[in-house]
Amino acid sequence: MNTFGRNFRCTTFGESHGKAVGVVIDGCPPGIALTEDDIQPYLDRRRPGKSPLESARQEPDRVEILSGTFEVRTTGAPIALVVRNRDVRSEDYDALRDVFRPGHADYTYQAKYGLRDHRGGGRSSGRETLARVAAGAVAVRCLAPYGVAVSGRVVAVHGATEPEAMEAEIRAARDAGDSVGGIVEVTATGCPAGLGDPVFGKLDAAIAGAMMGIGAVKGVEIGEGFGAARMLGSEMNDPIGKAGFASNHAGGILGGISTGQDIVVRIAVKPTPSIRRVQRTVDLAGEEREISVAGRHDPCIAPRIVPVAECMLALVLVDAMLEQAKYRGAPI
Amino acid sequence: MNTFGRNFRCTTFGESHGKAVGVVIDGCPPGIALTEDDIQPYLDRRRPGKSPLESARQEPDRVEILSGTFEVRTTGAPIALVVRNRDVRSEDYDALRDVFRPGHADYTYQAKYGLRDHRGGGRSSGRETLARVAAGAVAVRCLAPYGVAVSGRVVAVHGATEPEAMEAEIRAARDAGDSVGGIVEVTATGCPAGLGDPVFGKLDAAIAGAMMGIGAVKGVEIGEGFGAARMLGSEMNDPIGKAGFASNHAGGILGGISTGQDIVVRIAVKPTPSIRRVQRTVDLAGEEREISVAGRHDPCIAPRIVPVAECMLALVLVDAMLEQAKYRGAPI
Amino acid sequence: MNTFGRNFRCTTFGESHGKAVGVVIDGCPPGIALTEDDIQPYLDRRRPGKSPLESARQEPDRVEILSGTFEVRTTGAPIALVVRNRDVRSEDYDALRDVFRPGHADYTYQAKYGLRDHRGGGRSSGRETLARVAAGAVAVRCLAPYGVAVSGRVVAVHGATEPEAMEAEIRAARDAGDSVGGIVEVTATGCPAGLGDPVFGKLDAAIAGAMMGIGAVKGVEIGEGFGAARMLGSEMNDPIGKAGFASNHAGGILGGISTGQDIVVRIAVKPTPSIRRVQRTVDLAGEEREISVAGRHDPCIAPRIVPVAECMLALVLVDAMLEQAKYRGAPI
Amino acid sequence: MNTFGRNFRCTTFGESHGKAVGVVIDGCPPGIALTEDDIQPYLDRRRPGKSPLESARQEPDRVEILSGTFEVRTTGAPIALVVRNRDVRSEDYDALRDVFRPGHADYTYQAKYGLRDHRGGGRSSGRETLARVAAGAVAVRCLAPYGVAVSGRVVAVHGATEPEAMEAEIRAARDAGDSVGGIVEVTATGCPAGLGDPVFGKLDAAIAGAMMGIGAVKGVEIGEGFGAARMLGSEMNDPIGKAGFASNHAGGILGGISTGQDIVVRIAVKPTPSIRRVQRTVDLAGEEREISVAGRHDPCIAPRIVPVAECMLALVLVDAMLEQAKYRGAPI
């Protein structure tokens, strides 16, 4: 299932070391101004190789709009966006052809499909998120006229919560040939009340699915999240007054529907599984092997997940706004 | 969107104080032995009024199979399950007709639909989960022949983790006219490797969406979950040996596909929003009001969410098994 | 797949000789006045036993709304409609338990599911259309405020096209223990231009699928239909003037999108396969048998298909209007 | 809605005079041998400019596989196929920028979207079928190992049914600056019994929707089709014997499920709306205009619809086989 969304439907394709990665957006409203320049900045934010703490893969990641616009406006037809892969060093992966990297999808893809493209993780590579970000950039443009915006940041790395301390943790892990996990927080501001569709299309359910579907994410929480398990009802409930809600423990969602407050989401990102430190594993023949994953990997993937998580949130929101428009004539 | 699942599609209906609650299951394989007796025990577990720590609403919750079976076997036709509501005291809710209960969906339903059935929360009531449990019971029967089973339990209440301490927390909250949150853990055993569908139908994404879509749930984590954010890659990765994985930090899912290990999920449950303690809110006219929610409410909803979470997990798994069967001839 | 529609989603259930037949409508807009009295007249039109030319099965077919309305208005929650079966004479079908009736779904259901409910055709019975008509009645109510209406009639029976001649054909077939086919025409008036969704959600494609999905239908045509195959472009094209289209050879649809003119659809209905005349067939064991289908059958099913075809057209239109509302703020 | 299919999901994109036309196939089983050489022959059959009776547009229509294969086998990942547009003469269409061509989608696209790409019909162009044919070629490969094959031919043009007479009709229309309609028949052989999914996923309903969704198609019939409306039940029913069905009036489908016989479908194709003969129309401002459509158009589009109809039938069948595999372990 490579399609996300019911109304603003994004179908992604492409492998890490294939010819290209891309997305087809079906259901984008007509009349929205859109050129490659609206999308490129998001890809640039997601791009590797921007700092010594990131993978050194050098990809220009230039997006091309193949369809769906006419005279720089969307027409309602599907929008195909393609990015050609350039800096592919598949030979880096030759040694991994028959070996399952621990913590990766190698083993499960083999179990599921009976074969796999081992080069750079193939379809399971983080490079697939490039297509999500391209689609998300279009979603962001759709949301902008209604004052809806998304933003994100890393709020913790290996327990550290201050920028300098977080950077130190990443540096230490990298130097040790290891990696570290972290927490990313994304927020949507300006959302109207009423988004989300009971009982199986709830906004929080859609967000949770979208976030957990990002590689390396192991947890999602909204508002107080796991903290709510340690609270009393009298603490958790947000009182309502003439001026609106007096607090936002709910994280902007009640009963699966947006309240009009900020939507606040946090996601737990596991340490990048590709590490230089030696690990035990098996190969295709079932023989035990030791493995040290060379190649170009981020010691902490949380920073590069920030734009991906923002984009997924934007996709969920634009989808919910279109859904709501069916019944209530919402803005889009 | 009242339908859950792509292959084993469950469409639920019904309000807390309406005539009935039910579900239509479309896509259940033919030939499975099924009578009301297979479903009733799950409804009995979910039923309120079983202990002084639960809502006192007395409902027999007798399920009736209206269609889809012939001579006690499923036929491949849709299975309609209906439970009539009995112990409806709508007059308890008369005072709430024009008031938004804090922490509830009252405000957001009004914002979304422009009108709402205020009686017992209407469609947003926890009573809707009855339909999910009925469907889940059928899913459990579908999974059983393949050795797949689900189980769940409350692992924390208001910070307490021992059974006696958890019960004391619930009792204390109830006596104070308040409520408490908790954490529920659900586990699936016996799952084959290969379930889950990249990149937007990942098994963990489906589970996260399913769990976050249960009322009162504010967080979901799989395996180490938020703990992974404080770990190193060398700690988090599960080594693989001839005998299989040496640990299960991943919680049974890698790259969105099941590994064959136990699938371990934890969910954060907020305190029941209905409390006797006085809260500030507004009414339909926007006037400020004080509210004390009488009626029959659980001081901690976590215990009653256990069967619901189990059933949602079973629904996700049966759906994934049917999906996988399309391409690899999996058991079902 | 027992669900019809993307936005106004109708999931039907129930067998001919089971406990009940029904439908759950998910996606109906909130605020629409709706009681059983709005639906019952449609079921009464579809009901058998109204004339000597119809099946003599006597069913009151009283519909009950189980959910989705509050104080006689829809709430946006799923609307469950149920009709209990009453006049079930399953013993009439005992002789057919192991025999495949020619022209029926007996053989194919057995091939597909490996078992079947033989009583009255089970799920493949025309009785299932009762649920479609109930849902269609709700669709008709949704369309009414926008001036959209559907109507239908039998335009041919066994080649005859005049009412009296058509009735004579039916009578002659009945008396001969045989049955006859016919053609039904359904028309939608008042449709706005712009309905239908290229390229795989075209309005004519949706209509064709909806109509061909009615039991006994073997052909669908729109506007000139098969007649267009014998025309020149200069004859077929509808000229456009200041006052709009000068003709309607297209049947109200161009490029899969409504033009604003009447939508005109004709469907070919095969002769009812259940006939008294002796036919050759086989039984479950593969042995050759002769069969004469007793029981209560319509010698020509076309008249009773009229309300079903109207309702399917209404369902397609309400679905398309909701789809269009997402992007252009259409009326619903 | 630019996606076709539930299991073998094809999302097409691209405009007649845009940069490219393509398709993403999601749900193709893994392990199928596939290169561009398997797809190209189908595009070559569909390609214009092969005879003086076809549009003179000269397009090499070279397909490129962007993703989804590894070492010439499908991997289960989405398969992106792209064809760049080359022979684009958009200036031919400058005169049509503000005019609605009769019989075309110009008027309805404008009504639906509020703007349109007028160049060559934009998204509504027959050129979009190139993407369907590319996807269909992959479907054909999936079906081949199971002995399922599709074929088609033109069976009538403007009433003529003999090859020479049909060609004469096309020639005469072309010389008159006019166009003619025709009938195409497509047949599937080798289908197993049991394909199709009651009650809204019936095989005939899916075929009807797929065929009516091809531009210019105004009618669809299966087996006896509209002829069934003039038959008796005793004539229409196919007797069953030890050796199987004795006839195939049903066209290979009963109750929406395949019988195992040939599936026989006929579609009515209207005359190409683009003609040199002068027609009356209006422009964007509502002013009346006369129009003569120059450019490169087929005087009869039926021959070029043959491969498109074959491919749509193949797509329906592969989708149904995957659906069936979920429940019965069918071959794919």
Side-chain angles (χ1 to χ4, degrees):
Chain A
M1 173 46 65
N2 293 276
T3 297
F4 184 83
R6 278 177 41 79
N7 303 302
F8 193 92
R9 294 174 294 275
C10 304
T11 302
T12 72
F13 61 87
E15 289 82 25
S16 180
H17 289 215
K19 287 190 173 175
V21 171
V23 62
V24 181
I25 304 170
D26 187 15
C28 183
I32 294 173
L34 185 74
T35 71
E36 278 91 348
D37 292 344
D38 296 308
I39 302 168
Q40 195 60 49
Y42 284 80
L43 298 182
D44 292 346
R45 279 181 65 203
R46 197 213 71 95
R47 198 156 46 81
K50 301 185 305 298
S51 98
L53 295 181
E54 293 179 344
S55 157
R57 180 168 174 172
Q58 291 294 337
E59 285 283 0
D61 285 350
R62 300 300 306 178
V63 68
E64 180 182 14
I65 301 177
L66 286 187
S67 69
T69 62
F70 176 61
E71 297 179 348
V72 308
R73 293 205 171 267
T74 61
T75 61
I79 303 167
L81 307 175
V82 176
V83 173
R84 294 267 166 178
N85 291 328
R86 305 283 181 203
D87 185 18
V88 171
R89 299 194 199 158
S90 301
E91 61 280 8
D92 283 7
Y93 289 86
D94 284 352
L96 299 171
R97 189 184 177 95
D98 298 328
V99 185
F100 302 128
R101 293 169 297 168
H104 269 288
D106 298 352
Y107 176 85
T108 52
Y109 267 63
Q110 187 73 37
K112 182 175 189 69
Y113 298 110
L115 81 177
R116 70 193 166 94
D117 179 351
H118 69 283
R119 303 166 304 163
R123 180 69 180 149
S124 74
S125 166
R127 190 155 175 77
E128 179 272 333
T129 60
L130 185 156
R132 307 189 193 196
V133 169
V138 181
V140 165
R141 278 206 66 79
C142 293
L143 293 170
Y146 307 104
V148 182
V150 293
S151 63
R153 63 201 174 99
V154 178
V155 294
V157 170
H158 202 224
T161 57
E162 295 303 317
E164 274 185 39
M166 294 195 282
E167 197 174 318
E169 290 287 349
I170 299 176
R171 205 174 300 271
R174 184 197 57 186
D175 295 347
D178 214 324
S179 61
V180 274
I183 294 177
V184 168
E185 182 175 282
V186 280
T187 302
T189 55
C191 280
L195 301 185
D197 206 25
V199 301
F200 293 120
K202 287 178 177 173
L203 193 61
D204 41 5
I207 291 171
M211 295 298 162
M212 195 69 97
I214 301 172
V217 172
K218 300 300 287 183
V220 186
E221 59 180 14
I222 291 177
E224 293 291 340
F226 276 86
R230 284 179 231 101
M231 292 169 76
L232 297 173
S234 56
E235 296 164 338
M236 178 71 191
N237 287 345
D238 298 306
I240 320 177
K242 281 200 169 182
F245 291 91
S247 55
N248 189 16
H249 299 295
I253 300 175
L254 280 176
I257 303 173
S258 65
T259 62
Q261 295 177 280
D262 286 358
I263 293 170
V264 184
V265 184
R266 272 177 311 280
I267 60 180
V269 180
K270 76 174 184 180
T272 322
S274 292
I275 55 176
R276 253 193 358 262
R277 290 187 60 166
V278 173
Q279 303 175 80
R280 287 184 298 119
T281 188
V282 295
D283 61 21
L284 258 178
E287 294 305 310
E288 301 204 338
R289 302 267 296 267
E290 293 207 322
I291 188 174
S292 162
V293 184
R296 304 163 295 180
H297 307 290
D298 303 80
C300 180
I301 199 66
R304 289 189 54 216
I305 278 185
V306 172
V308 181
E310 288 175 13
C311 283
M312 292 309 297
L313 184 55
L315 288 171
V316 169
L317 291 173
V318 78
D319 203 66
M321 288 186 76
L322 290 169
E323 186 71 23
Q324 180 68 348
K326 285 196 292 190
Y327 301 105
R328 302 277 287 167
I332 285 180
Chain B
M1 173 47 65
N2 293 277
T3 297
F4 183 84
R6 278 177 41 78
N7 302 302
F8 193 92
R9 295 174 293 276
C10 304
T11 303
T12 72
F13 61 88
E15 289 83 24
S16 180
H17 289 215
K19 287 190 174 176
V21 171
V23 62
V24 181
I25 304 170
D26 187 15
C28 183
I32 293 172
L34 185 73
T35 71
E36 278 91 349
D37 291 344
D38 297 308
I39 302 167
Q40 194 60 49
Y42 284 80
L43 298 183
D44 293 345
R45 280 181 64 203
R46 196 213 72 96
R47 198 156 46 83
K50 299 186 304 299
S51 98
L53 295 181
E54 293 179 343
S55 158
R57 181 166 173 173
Q58 293 293 337
E59 285 282 3
D61 285 351
R62 301 299 306 178
V63 68
E64 182 182 14
I65 301 177
L66 286 187
S67 69
T69 62
F70 175 61
E71 298 179 347
V72 308
R73 292 204 171 268
T74 61
T75 62
I79 302 167
L81 308 175
V82 176
V83 173
R84 293 267 165 178
N85 291 328
R86 306 285 180 199
D87 185 19
V88 170
R89 299 194 199 157
S90 300
E91 61 281 7
D92 283 8
Y93 289 87
D94 284 352
L96 300 171
R97 189 183 177 96
D98 298 327
V99 185
F100 302 127
R101 292 168 298 166
H104 269 287
D106 298 351
Y107 176 86
T108 52
Y109 267 64
Q110 187 73 39
K112 182 175 190 68
Y113 298 109
L115 82 175
R116 69 192 167 95
D117 179 352
H118 70 283
R119 302 165 306 162
R123 181 70 181 147
S124 74
S125 166
R127 190 156 176 76
E128 179 272 333
T129 60
L130 186 157
R132 307 189 192 197
V133 168
V138 180
V140 164
R141 277 205 68 79
C142 293
L143 292 170
Y146 307 103
V148 182
V150 293
S151 62
R153 63 201 174 99
V154 178
V155 295
V157 171
H158 202 226
T161 57
E162 295 302 318
E164 273 185 38
M166 293 195 284
E167 197 175 318
E169 289 289 350
I170 299 176
R171 205 174 300 272
R174 184 197 56 186
D175 295 348
D178 214 324
S179 61
V180 274
I183 294 178
V184 168
E185 182 175 282
V186 281
T187 303
T189 56
C191 280
L195 302 185
D197 206 26
V199 299
F200 294 121
K202 287 179 176 173
L203 192 61
D204 42 5
I207 291 171
M211 296 298 162
M212 195 69 98
I214 302 172
V217 171
K218 300 302 286 184
V220 185
E221 59 180 14
I222 291 176
E224 292 291 340
F226 276 86
R230 285 178 230 101
M231 293 170 75
L232 298 172
S234 55
E235 296 164 339
M236 177 71 191
N237 286 347
D238 298 306
I240 320 178
K242 280 199 170 183
F245 290 94
S247 55
N248 189 15
H249 299 295
I253 301 174
L254 280 176
I257 304 174
S258 64
T259 62
Q261 296 177 279
D262 286 358
I263 293 170
V264 184
V265 184
R266 272 177 310 281
I267 59 179
V269 180
K270 74 174 185 179
T272 321
S274 291
I275 55 176
R276 252 193 0 259
R277 290 187 60 167
V278 171
Q279 303 174 79
R280 287 184 299 117
T281 187
V282 295
D283 60 22
L284 258 177
E287 292 305 311
E288 301 203 338
R289 301 269 294 267
E290 294 208 321
I291 187 174
S292 163
V293 183
R296 304 163 295 179
H297 306 290
D298 303 80
C300 180
I301 198 67
R304 289 189 54 216
I305 279 185
V306 172
V308 181
E310 289 176 13
C311 282
M312 292 310 297
L313 184 54
L315 288 171
V316 169
L317 291 174
V318 78
D319 203 66
M321 288 186 77
L322 290 170
E323 186 71 23
Q324 180 68 348
K326 285 195 292 190
Y327 301 106
R328 301 276 288 167
I332 285 180
Chain C
M1 173 47 66
N2 293 277
T3 297
F4 184 83
R6 279 177 43 77
N7 301 302
F8 193 92
R9 294 174 294 277
C10 303
T11 302
T12 72
F13 61 87
E15 289 84 23
S16 180
H17 290 215
K19 286 190 175 175
V21 171
V23 61
V24 181
I25 304 169
D26 187 15
C28 183
I32 293 172
L34 185 74
T35 71
E36 278 91 349
D37 291 344
D38 297 308
I39 302 168
Q40 195 60 48
Y42 285 80
L43 298 183
D44 292 346
R45 279 181 65 203
R46 197 214 70 95
R47 198 157 46 82
K50 300 187 304 298
S51 98
L53 296 182
E54 293 179 344
S55 158
R57 181 166 173 173
Q58 292 294 337
E59 285 283 2
D61 285 350
R62 300 300 306 179
V63 67
E64 181 182 13
I65 301 176
L66 286 187
S67 69
T69 62
F70 176 61
E71 298 178 348
V72 307
R73 293 203 171 269
T74 61
T75 61
I79 302 167
L81 307 175
V82 176
V83 174
R84 293 268 166 179
N85 292 328
R86 304 285 180 199
D87 184 19
V88 171
R89 299 193 199 157
S90 301
E91 60 281 6
D92 283 6
Y93 290 86
D94 284 352
L96 299 172
R97 189 183 178 96
D98 298 328
V99 184
F100 302 129
R101 292 169 297 166
H104 269 288
D106 298 351
Y107 177 85
T108 52
Y109 267 64
Q110 187 73 37
K112 183 175 189 69
Y113 298 110
L115 82 175
R116 70 193 166 94
D117 179 351
H118 69 283
R119 301 166 306 162
R123 181 69 180 149
S124 74
S125 167
R127 190 155 176 77
E128 179 273 334
T129 60
L130 186 157
R132 307 189 191 195
V133 169
V138 180
V140 165
R141 278 205 67 78
C142 293
L143 293 170
Y146 307 103
V148 182
V150 292
S151 63
R153 62 199 174 101
V154 178
V155 294
V157 170
H158 201 224
T161 56
E162 295 303 317
E164 273 183 39
M166 293 194 283
E167 198 175 318
E169 290 288 348
I170 299 176
R171 205 174 300 271
R174 184 198 57 186
D175 295 346
D178 214 324
S179 61
V180 275
I183 295 178
V184 168
E185 182 175 282
V186 281
T187 302
T189 56
C191 280
L195 302 186
D197 206 25
V199 299
F200 294 121
K202 287 179 175 173
L203 193 60
D204 41 6
I207 291 171
M211 296 297 161
M212 196 68 99
I214 301 172
V217 172
K218 299 302 286 182
V220 186
E221 58 180 15
I222 290 177
E224 293 291 341
F226 276 86
R230 284 178 231 102
M231 292 170 75
L232 297 172
S234 55
E235 297 164 339
M236 177 72 191
N237 286 346
D238 298 306
I240 321 177
K242 280 200 169 182
F245 290 92
S247 55
N248 189 14
H249 300 295
I253 301 175
L254 280 175
I257 303 173
S258 65
T259 62
Q261 295 177 280
D262 285 357
I263 294 171
V264 184
V265 184
R266 270 177 311 281
I267 59 179
V269 180
K270 75 173 184 180
T272 322
S274 292
I275 54 176
R276 255 196 353 263
R277 290 185 62 165
V278 173
Q279 302 175 80
R280 288 183 298 118
T281 188
V282 295
D283 61 22
L284 258 178
E287 293 305 311
E288 301 203 338
R289 301 270 296 266
E290 293 207 322
I291 188 175
S292 163
V293 183
R296 303 163 296 179
H297 307 290
D298 302 79
C300 179
I301 199 66
R304 290 188 54 216
I305 279 185
V306 171
V308 181
E310 289 175 14
C311 282
M312 292 309 297
L313 185 54
L315 289 171
V316 169
L317 291 173
V318 78
D319 203 67
M321 289 186 76
L322 290 169
E323 186 71 23
Q324 181 68 347
K326 286 196 291 190
Y327 300 105
R328 301 277 288 167
I332 288 182
Chain D
M1 173 48 64
N2 293 276
T3 298
F4 184 83
R6 278 176 42 77
N7 302 301
F8 193 93
R9 295 175 293 276
C10 304
T11 302
T12 72
F13 61 87
E15 289 83 25
S16 179
H17 291 215
K19 287 190 175 176
V21 171
V23 62
V24 181
I25 303 170
D26 188 14
C28 183
I32 293 172
L34 185 73
T35 71
E36 279 90 348
D37 292 344
D38 297 309
I39 302 167
Q40 194 61 49
Y42 284 80
L43 298 182
D44 293 346
R45 279 180 65 203
R46 196 214 70 95
R47 197 157 47 82
K50 300 187 304 299
S51 97
L53 296 182
E54 293 179 343
S55 158
R57 181 167 172 172
Q58 292 294 336
E59 284 284 1
D61 285 350
R62 299 300 307 177
V63 67
E64 182 182 14
I65 300 177
L66 286 186
S67 68
T69 62
F70 175 60
E71 298 178 348
V72 308
R73 293 205 170 268
T74 61
T75 61
I79 302 167
L81 307 175
V82 176
V83 173
R84 293 269 166 178
N85 292 328
R86 304 285 180 201
D87 185 18
V88 171
R89 300 193 199 157
S90 301
E91 61 280 8
D92 283 7
Y93 290 85
D94 284 353
L96 299 172
R97 189 182 178 97
D98 298 328
V99 185
F100 303 128
R101 293 168 298 167
H104 269 288
D106 298 352
Y107 177 85
T108 52
Y109 268 64
Q110 187 73 37
K112 182 174 189 68
Y113 299 110
L115 82 175
R116 69 192 166 95
D117 179 352
H118 69 284
R119 302 165 305 161
R123 181 68 181 150
S124 74
S125 167
R127 190 156 175 77
E128 179 272 334
T129 61
L130 186 157
R132 306 189 192 196
V133 169
V138 181
V140 165
R141 278 205 66 79
C142 294
L143 292 171
Y146 307 103
V148 182
V150 293
S151 63
R153 63 202 173 99
V154 178
V155 294
V157 171
H158 201 224
T161 57
E162 295 303 316
E164 274 184 38
M166 293 195 284
E167 197 175 317
E169 290 288 349
I170 299 176
R171 204 175 301 271
R174 184 197 57 187
D175 294 347
D178 214 323
S179 61
V180 275
I183 294 178
V184 168
E185 183 175 282
V186 281
T187 302
T189 55
C191 279
L195 302 186
D197 207 25
V199 300
F200 294 121
K202 287 179 175 173
L203 192 61
D204 41 5
I207 291 171
M211 296 297 161
M212 196 70 98
I214 301 172
V217 172
K218 299 301 286 184
V220 186
E221 58 181 14
I222 291 177
E224 292 292 340
F226 276 87
R230 284 179 230 102
M231 292 170 75
L232 298 172
S234 55
E235 296 164 339
M236 177 72 191
N237 286 347
D238 298 306
I240 321 178
K242 280 200 169 182
F245 291 93
S247 55
N248 189 15
H249 300 295
I253 301 174
L254 281 175
I257 303 174
S258 64
T259 62
Q261 295 177 279
D262 286 358
I263 293 171
V264 183
V265 184
R266 272 178 309 282
I267 60 179
V269 180
K270 75 174 184 179
T272 322
S274 291
I275 54 176
R276 253 194 356 262
R277 290 185 60 165
V278 172
Q279 303 175 81
R280 287 183 299 119
T281 188
V282 296
D283 61 21
L284 258 177
E287 293 304 311
E288 302 203 339
R289 301 269 294 266
E290 293 206 324
I291 188 175
S292 162
V293 183
R296 303 163 296 180
H297 306 290
D298 302 81
C300 180
I301 199 68
R304 289 188 56 216
I305 279 184
V306 171
V308 180
E310 289 175 14
C311 283
M312 292 309 297
L313 184 55
L315 288 170
V316 169
L317 291 174
V318 77
D319 203 66
M321 288 186 77
L322 290 169
E323 186 71 24
Q324 180 68 348
K326 285 195 291 190
Y327 300 105
R328 303 276 288 168
I332 287 181

